[in-house]
Amino acid sequence: PVFAAYAEGAVITDLDGNQFLDFSGGIGCVNSGHSAPRVVEAVKNQVEKLQHTCFQVTMYESYLTLAEKLADIAPGNSPKKVALFNSGAEAVENAVKIARKFTKRQAIVCFENAFHGRTMLALTLTSKVKPYKDGFSPFAPEIYQTAIPYTYRRPESLSEEEYVDECIANLHGFLKRTVTPDNIAAFILEPVLGEGGFIVPPKKFIKEIERICKENGIVLIADEIQSGFARTGKMFASEHFDLNPDLVTLAKSMANGFPVSAVVGRADIMDSVQPGGLGGTFGGNPVACAAALAAIETIEQENLCGNAISIGSTVKERLQS
């Protein structure tokens, strides 16, 4: 066990002075590096000016500036609006609320091996039973889980193309046998899964989900909480699939570990919720918003997407060998 004293860049120093390369990054939270200079400076400046008001009571600039930035860079082609919260799980729960309000439907479809959080609705969407779900039932209703292709673990008798086609056929069977599209409010998926294995779903499967959603008026939620902000060599993993989600959930490295999250989505969907239907005391705290703006600037100015591609290609080659 490592008990941290301080950290900088990718290195953690413990209480005994030992140094460790940090391969967890706070579970994907410090993609800009520990004590990133822009983030530290932004936080210091913001703390001296304004620490908290609750945005629903008294507004402030850093919330609006961050919302504008996220609307500009998040995946999706339509005009967007943004709501800020505290954690990834809270963003997921609010995305489901928004989808249900907009569609006036209840069912939510999620996928095996997924992780969406540990609050009760988010935990229902999460796949792994132990340690996350064991002993905490009953879970939220109208949640339906189905398989997502895991090509690395596919049957040896099938080619990758045959396996993906079979998975798509099984998905259509699921939509006949288990829950029908006209009852589904949303599909929620991680473009790259990071808990039940680091799983990159085939683009063909992802695009089929997108097509099903578009044809049936289903909200497509991309959970980019762990895969976003340069983790996969793109600002968002959705970009690898040319995915155009209706709602996107963000957190973790958005503020380089400071507690803030977001739902970014189509303006017409976001506007379907009544005033007061979304919010929270600490959501979009001014200090966390300042950290987020500085973290995004760090990713953009220091080409951390290119850095991720460079390191990733080296590591992938070594692991595959």
Side-chain angles (χ1 to χ4, degrees), residues 9-88:
V11 178
I12 289 179
T13 302
D14 73 4
L15 292 175
D16 298 317
N18 301 305
Q19 293 189 315
F20 303 86
L21 284 176
D22 182 6
F23 277 82
S24 67
I27 314 183
C29 282
V30 286
N31 289 358
S32 296
H34 291 286
S35 302
R38 287 183 178 88
V39 176
V40 171
E41 186 65 24
V43 167
K44 286 180 178 178
N45 292 338
Q46 184 61 55
V47 166
E48 291 175 350
K49 291 193 298 184
L50 181 69
Q51 294 181 37
H52 174 72
T53 68
C54 181
F55 187 75
Q56 288 92 73
V57 177
T58 305
M59 294 181 286
Y60 42 87
E61 186 177 9
S62 59
Y63 189 115
L64 298 178
T65 306
L66 177 58
E68 289 173 344
K69 182 64 176 180
L70 295 176
D72 181 52
I73 65 174
N77 298 327
S78 303
K80 303 183 190 76
K81 289 194 176 181
V82 178
L84 301 181
F85 306 100
N86 299 292
S87 68

Side-chain angles (χ1 to χ4, degrees), residues 206-221:
I206 296 293
K207 298 302 286 185
E208 181 64 10
I209 293 171
E210 185 177 30
R211 186 192 67 79
I212 290 168
C213 289
K214 190 172 184 179
E215 288 189 359
N216 293 279
I218 299 168
V219 175
L220 178 55
I221 304 170

Side-chain angles (χ1 to χ4, degrees), residues 10-294:
V11 178
I12 289 179
T13 302
D14 73 4
L15 292 175
D16 298 317
N18 301 305
Q19 293 189 315
F20 303 86
L21 284 176
D22 182 6
F23 277 82
S24 67
I27 314 183
C29 282
V30 286
N31 289 358
S32 296
H34 291 286
S35 302
R38 287 183 178 88
V39 176
V40 171
E41 186 65 24
V43 167
K44 286 180 178 178
N45 292 338
Q46 184 61 55
V47 166
E48 291 175 350
K49 291 193 298 184
L50 181 69
Q51 294 181 37
H52 174 72
T53 68
C54 181
F55 187 75
Q56 288 92 73
V57 177
T58 305
M59 294 181 286
Y60 42 87
E61 186 177 9
S62 59
Y63 189 115
L64 298 178
T65 306
L66 177 58
E68 289 173 344
K69 182 64 176 180
L70 295 176
D72 181 52
I73 65 174
N77 298 327
S78 303
K80 303 183 190 76
K81 289 194 176 181
V82 178
L84 301 181
F85 306 100
N86 299 292
S87 68
E90 192 177 355
V92 167
E93 300 235 353
N94 279 283
V96 170
K97 285 168 55 180
I98 295 164
R100 285 174 166 166
K101 184 72 174 183
F102 177 73
T103 62
K104 298 179 174 60
R105 304 172 186 172
Q106 288 76 47
I108 307 294
V109 175
C110 56
F111 292 93
E112 293 177 1
N113 294 309
F115 183 90
H116 295 291
R118 305 192 205 209
T119 51
M120 192 53 73
L121 175 56
L123 187 61
T124 309
L125 298 165
T126 292
S127 181
K128 189 184 289 186
V129 176
K130 290 187 176 182
Y132 302 127
K133 302 174 80 165
D134 191 35
F136 295 134
S137 61
F139 298 109
E142 289 298 309
I143 304 296
Y144 299 89
Q145 187 180 101
T146 189
I148 198 165
Y150 193 173
T151 55
Y152 184 70
R153 302 292 185 190
R154 73 183 186 274
E156 293 183 2
S157 60
L158 296 177
S159 68
E160 186 168 321
E161 183 178 0
E162 290 170 336
Y163 173 66
V164 174
D165 287 341
E166 183 178 281
C167 290
I168 290 173
N170 290 338
L171 175 63
H172 284 280
F174 167 83
L175 295 174
K176 293 177 181 177
R177 295 185 299 268
T178 305
V179 59
T180 57
D182 57 353
N183 288 317
I184 298 173
F187 275 78
I188 183 167
L189 62 88
E190 298 164 277
V192 174
L193 286 73
E195 176 62 29
F198 285 92
I199 302 169
V200 183
K203 183 175 180 178
K204 185 176 182 180
F205 186 86
I206 296 293
K207 298 302 286 185
E208 181 64 10
I209 293 171
E210 185 177 30
R211 186 192 67 79
I212 290 168
C213 289
K214 190 172 184 179
E215 288 189 359
N216 293 279
I218 299 168
V219 175
L220 178 55
I221 304 170
D223 182 345
E224 291 265 15
I225 290 163
Q226 189 164 243
S227 60
F229 298 100
R231 186 85 183 273
T232 66
K234 299 281 189 182
M235 184 64 84
F236 302 102
S238 295
E239 298 172 42
H240 292 287
F241 304 94
D242 301 317
L243 186 63
N244 185 33
D246 299 303
L247 299 176
V248 184
T249 57
L250 305 171
K252 288 188 181 283
S253 278
M254 180 171 81
N256 214 44
F258 280 82
V260 65
S261 65
V263 178
V264 183
R266 274 174 37 195
D268 59 323
I269 297 177
M270 299 292 284
D271 282 341
S272 67
V273 180
Q274 69 277 12
L278 304 175
T281 302
F282 299 106
N285 170 271
V287 180
C289 287
L293 288 163

